[in-house]
Amino acid sequence: MTRDDIDLIPEMVKSGKKNWEQVTKELVVFIIRNKPMFGLQKYDEDFISDFIIQFLVRGPESLSDYEDKKGNFSSYLFCIIRNIFTGLHKKAAIKSRIEYHNVNESIANYENKVEAYQNINYKDFERPKVPYSCKPISIEAFQIACKTDSYHIKRIINSDETTFEKEIKARLKGYSPKMIQNILMVLTLKSSYYITDNQVEMICKFLNINISLMHEIIQEMKTQIFSRIQNKEKIEIRRNRAYYNHKTTRDMIAWDKLDFSKTEYEKLKLNRKYEKCTRNWKTLNHQLEEGKILIRPTTKQIAHVLGLSSRQVIYYQSIARKLGINICKV
C-alpha cells in the first residue's frame, strides 16, 4: 500500500471488496512501516503499542464516518491519528500527575503508616478464621438464640473479667440483664457495617449467643443496606476527585508565581477554581468524617430482627447515647 492507495480505500469499501475492519488492520501495518510519515519515530515502543490498540479499537467506527465531500481520505486518516495521539498524551499526563500526588501523599503520611505497622499484632495472622458464607437465617431462630440466661449476664457484669470493656460494664451495672442485652444487640446491629470480628466475638461471649448466628444475621443486615454502601462509595469517589483537583490547582498556582506570562485575569480565574475545588473537597470530607453519611440499617429493620417495636429500638438507642456507650470500644 502507498500513500496514493489510501485515497482509494473508500471506493473499495463501497464496492464491497473490503470492509472497515480489514482496512483498519492494513492501515496499522502501513502506519508502523512508515513511522516518520505519521510522526511515530519519536515515540517509544510502549506509546506505539498503546496507539496500535487504540487505532484497532476506534478505527472501524471512526473510518466509517468519512464523507468524501469534505476532503481526501488521507487527510481524514491523519486527523484520526492526531486525535489518538492527543488522547494518549492526555492519559499519560493524568497518570503522571496522579503518581506525583500519590508519592507526595505517601511522604506526608509516612509517620502515620510507620506507627500503624508497629501496632500490628502478628499473632493474629497465625490464627485461622472461619469464613462465613451468606446463608438465609430464620429471624425466629435468631430471636430464640438471643434469649440469654439472666444469671450469665449478671455474673459477667459483676465480675472482673477483662474480656469486655470495663468502662461499658460500669455504665451498664445499674440496669436489668434484659435491658443490657437489648441495648447491646441494638448497638451491634446498628453498627453491622462497621463492627469487627473481634467485637462480635466479645459481644457474643458477653451475651452467651452463638457466634455463627450473629455473623449470619450481620451479613443479612449488610445485604439489606447494599444501596447505602454504593451511595457512600460514590461520595468517596467524588471526595477523592475533589481532593485531586484541589492539589492540582494548588500546584498550578505555585507554578504561575514563577511564570510571569499569565495575565491577572487568568490568575484570578485560577484562584477562583482553587477556592471552588477546596470548598468541594472540604464539604465532602466533612460529611464523611462527621458521620453525616453513615451506613446503618433502619430502625424498622432492627426491630424486625429482634422482635421489638420501632419505639423500643429508639428507646434503647437513646439510653445508650445517654450513657455514652460506643460499640467501637468493645
Side-chain angles (χ1 to χ4, degrees):
M1 181 185 290
T2 64
R3 184 169 182 175
D4 295 332
D5 295 333
I6 293 176
D7 289 326
L8 301 176
I9 288 176
E11 292 297 330
M12 297 178 70
V13 173
K14 284 182 181 179
S15 63
K17 293 180 180 179
K18 293 183 180 180
N19 56 41
W20 289 116
E21 286 76 13
Q22 291 174 324
V23 169
T24 302
K25 294 175 182 178
E26 291 178 5
L27 284 173
V28 164
V29 175
F30 177 78
I31 292 169
I32 298 305
R33 288 177 177 175
N34 300 273
K35 294 180 183 178
M37 184 185 296
F38 301 95
L40 276 171
Q41 78 281 1
K42 58 185 177 181
Y43 297 109
D44 59 15
E45 293 300 324
D46 291 335
F47 185 90
I48 294 174
S49 297
D50 292 337
F51 166 78
I52 293 172
I53 293 170
Q54 287 295 316
F55 189 84
L56 290 173
V57 171
R58 296 168 54 181
E61 185 177 355
S62 299
L63 294 173
S64 63
D65 291 336
Y66 168 71
E67 297 180 11
D68 54 2
K69 296 179 181 179
K70 296 183 179 180
N72 296 331
F73 183 75
S74 57
S75 300
Y76 183 70
L77 176 62
F78 272 93
C79 291
I80 292 175
I81 293 172
R82 184 55 55 192
N83 286 337
I84 294 175
F85 281 0
T86 303
L88 291 175
H89 283 308
K90 286 183 179 179
K91 186 178 179 180
I94 292 172
K95 183 179 179 181
S96 177
R97 278 192 289 173
I98 290 174
E99 289 178 354
Y100 169 76
H101 290 300
N102 285 341
V103 170
N104 285 344
E105 289 298 312
S106 298
I107 294 172
N109 296 324
Y110 175 74
E111 294 182 0
N112 294 335
K113 288 184 178 179
V114 170
E115 183 180 355
Y117 278 108
Q118 287 176 345
N119 293 330
I120 291 177
N121 186 4
Y122 293 98
K123 293 181 179 178
D124 293 339
F125 295 160
E126 300 174 0
R127 240 182 279 162
K129 294 184 179 180
V130 180
Y132 291 97
S133 58
C134 183
K135 300 177 182 177
I137 181 173
S138 168
I139 301 298
E140 292 77 13
F142 180 73
Q143 291 173 2
I144 293 172
C146 289
K147 292 180 180 179
T148 307
D149 182 18
S150 299
Y151 174 75
H152 175 81
I153 296 178
K154 283 183 180 179
R155 180 176 60 81
I156 295 292
I157 206 78
N158 293 316
S159 68
D160 294 329
E161 294 182 15
T162 57
T163 55
F164 206 77
E165 182 65 33
K166 291 182 179 179
E167 183 182 349
I168 295 179
K169 289 200 295 186
R171 294 180 182 181
L172 290 172
K173 254 185 180 179
Y175 292 89
S176 65
K178 186 177 180 181
M179 175 75 78
I180 293 171
Q181 179 181 1
N182 287 334
I183 289 173
L184 291 179
M185 287 302 302
V186 167
L187 290 179
T188 301
L189 297 182
K190 199 71 175 175
S191 306
S192 56
Y193 178 76
Y194 302 96
I195 199 166
T196 64
D197 290 344
N198 289 335
Q199 291 169 348
V200 172
E201 186 178 348
M202 291 290 183
I203 291 169
C204 289
K205 285 182 179 179
F206 185 87
L207 299 177
N208 196 24
I209 298 175
N210 185 280
I211 297 177
S212 298
L213 286 177
M214 180 67 84
H215 275 290
E216 288 169 7
I217 204 67
I218 287 174
Q219 188 62 40
E220 179 67 23
M221 300 297 284
K222 287 181 180 180
T223 304
Q224 294 178 12
I225 58 177
F226 182 70
S227 59
R228 298 189 180 190
I229 296 173
Q230 287 183 314
N231 183 49
K232 185 178 181 183
E233 288 175 350
K234 289 179 182 178
I235 294 173
E236 287 176 344
I237 292 172
R238 286 175 55 201
R239 187 271 311 273
N240 295 342
R241 187 183 296 115
Y243 180 66
Y244 171 74
N245 292 333
H246 153 78
K247 296 272 287 186
T248 304
T249 313
R250 188 184 66 180
D251 290 345
M252 292 172 66
I253 292 174
W255 171 255
D256 285 346
K257 291 180 181 179
L258 304 174
D259 183 11
F260 300 101
S261 62
K262 289 288 182 70
T263 63
E264 290 297 324
Y265 173 74
E266 289 175 324
K267 291 180 180 180
L268 179 62
K269 186 178 178 180
L270 192 59
N271 286 329
R272 287 177 177 173
K273 181 182 177 182
Y274 173 73
E275 291 174 0
K276 181 181 178 182
C277 293
T278 304
R279 185 169 58 252
N280 291 341
W281 161 56
K282 288 185 176 180
T283 300
L284 293 169
N285 203 42
H286 177 76
Q287 291 177 354
L288 291 169
E289 286 182 346
E290 297 300 320
K292 183 178 180 180
I293 305 166
L294 291 176
I295 303 174
R296 291 176 176 173
T298 63
T299 301
K300 188 175 181 180
Q301 290 171 332
I302 296 174
H304 175 67
V305 170
L306 296 178
L308 304 171
S309 66
S310 297
R311 293 182 64 184
Q312 285 176 302
V313 173
I314 295 172
Y315 170 71
Y316 293 129
Q317 281 184 259
S318 63
I319 294 293
R321 196 179 300 113
K322 191 182 298 181
L323 294 174
I325 298 176
N326 187 350
I327 203 69
C328 296
K329 292 183 178 180
V330 175

